Amino acid sequence: MRSQRWVRGCARRMCLLLALGCTPHDAPSKAPRADASVAAPDSFLVALTTNRGRVAMVVHRAWAPRGADRFYELVRAGFFDGARFFRVVRGFVAQFGLPADPRLGQAWSAKPIQDDPVRGSNRHGAVAFASAGPNSRSTQLFISLADNPRLDTFGGYGFPPIGAVVEGLEITDALNGQYGEAPSQDLIRQEGNAYLTRAFPQLDYIQTAQVVREWR
């Protein structure tokens, strides 16, 4: 039984590495800027209003400066509003960060950010960017639904947490995982919520994401 769990865990983590494996399209004229020019405050509180209730997370720039800066800009640009938790693997991760309108993702995915060193652990409730390998983080993040220490060093570089859920962890743990790995990330990138609403109507989602407090 232990061996079977280990194999399943390896398969799940391999899927995480493939999270951003696509070729971005030309950015539309209305896409938000993706120049990563704004430094985030030392710490900030992000409130996700979801269809299940409020989830709040505190992000610490000292944990992963480049990741914190990107997340800060994405939230302030309204990038996550309406986005689905499109990949929920119970006991592992809940992943989000492909926007409701696929045009919004094109400019950002074309500008991946450099890696940060891993300064914390992917414990239950940790928030980190997904990636497809070194220096490939762009818009997708995951919340750990259990302690995932192997993700700290996976692939020789690991997934550096940028913060942690401080309110509503029970909500993230209860996100709908009935579809698992089934939603196609390529089709989400092409069609956005139109595809997900049609094929996976029971996915949970973010109504709004807002920076509600900052510490400098």
Side-chain angles (χ1 to χ4, degrees), residues 31-37 70 73 107-109 111:
R33 292 182 63 188
D35 54 13
S37 60
R70 172 57 62 90
E73 284 202 292
W108 296 97
S109 61
K111 296 180 180 289

Side-chain angles (χ1 to χ4, degrees), residues 23-39:
T23 301
H25 304 283
D26 293 334
S29 59
K30 293 185 179 180
R33 292 182 63 188
D35 54 13
S37 60
V38 177

Side-chain angles (χ1 to χ4, degrees), residues 24 27 32-36 70 105-114 135-139:
R33 292 182 63 188
D35 54 13
R70 172 57 62 90
Q106 293 164 6
W108 296 97
S109 61
K111 296 180 180 289
I113 59 175
Q114 296 293 300
N135 302 315
S136 63
R137 296 176 298 168
S138 61
T139 68

Side-chain angles (χ1 to χ4, degrees), residues 154-191:
F154 188 79
Y157 57 91
F159 299 88
I162 64 170
V165 174
V166 295
E167 178 187 338
L169 188 58
E170 72 284 357
I171 292 175
T172 63
D173 288 346
L175 291 171
N176 187 0
Q178 74 181 92
Y179 304 120
E181 311 275 358
S184 165
Q185 294 187 31
D186 286 339
L187 289 178
I188 302 172
R189 292 185 183 96
Q190 294 170 23
E191 301 181 39

Side-chain angles (χ1 to χ4, degrees), residues 24-208:
H25 304 283
D26 293 334
S29 59
K30 293 185 179 180
R33 292 182 63 188
D35 54 13
S37 60
V38 177
D42 294 340
S43 298
F44 57 98
L45 179 69
V46 172
L48 305 181
T49 302
T50 78
N51 63 302
R52 288 180 177 263
R54 172 184 161 106
V55 175
M57 53 187 66
V58 173
V59 176
H60 303 282
R61 193 169 188 272
W63 290 13
R66 295 183 183 94
D69 290 351
R70 172 57 62 90
F71 187 54
Y72 183 71
E73 284 202 292
L74 288 169
V75 173
R76 297 207 313 165
F79 183 87
F80 300 108
D81 295 355
R84 270 41 176 179
F85 292 98
F86 64 86
R87 178 173 178 258
V88 179
V89 181
R90 294 188 179 100
F92 184 43
V93 299
Q95 194 162 326
F96 64 100
L98 292 175
D101 181 346
R103 294 172 299 175
L104 296 180
Q106 293 164 6
W108 296 97
S109 61
K111 296 180 180 289
I113 59 175
Q114 296 293 300
D115 288 339
D116 287 304
V118 178
R119 296 190 174 102
S121 183
N122 287 276
R123 296 188 176 92
H124 188 192
V127 181
F129 274 88
S131 72
N135 302 315
S136 63
R137 296 176 298 168
S138 61
T139 68
Q140 294 192 45
L141 298 100
F142 62 89
I143 301 169
S144 281
L145 303 182
D147 290 344
N148 291 314
R150 291 190 181 91
L151 297 183
D152 301 346
T153 57
F154 188 79
Y157 57 91
F159 299 88
I162 64 170
V165 174
V166 295
E167 178 187 338
L169 188 58
E170 72 284 357
I171 292 175
T172 63
D173 288 346
L175 291 171
N176 187 0
Q178 74 181 92
Y179 304 120
E181 311 275 358
S184 165
Q185 294 187 31
D186 286 339
L187 289 178
I188 302 172
R189 292 185 183 96
Q190 294 170 23
E191 301 181 39
N193 279 0
Y195 159 68
L196 292 175
T197 300
R198 180 177 69 250
F200 305 98
Q202 301 303 315
L203 284 175
D204 291 312
Y205 58 91
I206 299 168
Q207 295 172 338
T208 61

